[in-house]
Amino acid sequence: MSIRFLFAVMAIAALAGCANDPAPAEQMKLTEKAVEQAKAVGATDDEAEFQAAQAKLAQARSDMTRESFKAARMQAEQAELDARLAEAQVLTAKSEEQITQLNTRLN
């Protein structure tokens, strides 16, 4: 009976440990770098995706201060994806502009 009790205590301890989400410090760093990179390639507040990334990053920071780590992680992940999408759209637009210029020169 003591072995069953020990297993029950271990199971409860394991579940309690899983319930606490750790602070998403690494995800926050990745997201901040993604937003900075998008800005570095030319993303501006005019792009909806870049605005969304900045807003979600701000929400993630707010969630971090309230120690709502699961919400912070989700917002940070979404912000990272929005920032990467904004970066890709800017780079695509620049590439298309270069192609147009080259085609104009060739004709």
Side-chain angles (χ1 to χ4, degrees):
M1 188 120 174
S2 63
I3 292 176
R4 286 185 183 175
F5 178 73
L6 179 62
F7 281 128
V9 169
M10 288 175 45
I12 291 172
L15 289 174
C18 293
N20 296 330
D21 287 320
E26 284 300 313
Q27 182 61 52
M28 293 296 289
K29 288 178 189 176
L30 286 172
T31 301
E32 289 169 357
K33 287 181 182 178
V35 170
E36 290 171 10
Q37 181 65 27
K39 190 172 185 176
V41 299
T44 64
D45 291 336
D46 295 338
E47 283 104 27
E49 290 77 14
F50 190 66
Q51 284 180 350
Q54 290 180 315
K56 289 175 184 174
L57 178 57
Q59 182 62 47
R61 288 178 178 145
S62 175
D63 291 338
M64 286 285 286
T65 60
R66 289 182 286 122
E67 296 185 9
S68 180
F69 298 138
K70 184 175 181 179
R73 177 175 286 108
M74 291 176 61
Q75 289 294 322
E77 288 172 352
Q78 291 175 8
E80 179 187 2
L81 294 174
D82 287 339
R84 294 196 188 282
L85 178 58
E87 176 185 357
Q89 288 175 335
V90 167
L91 292 175
T92 299
K94 286 181 179 183
S95 295
E96 288 173 353
E97 183 179 327
Q98 289 176 345
I99 290 171
T100 302
Q101 289 175 356
L102 288 173
N103 285 334
T104 302
R105 289 180 191 167
L106 293 173
N107 294 331

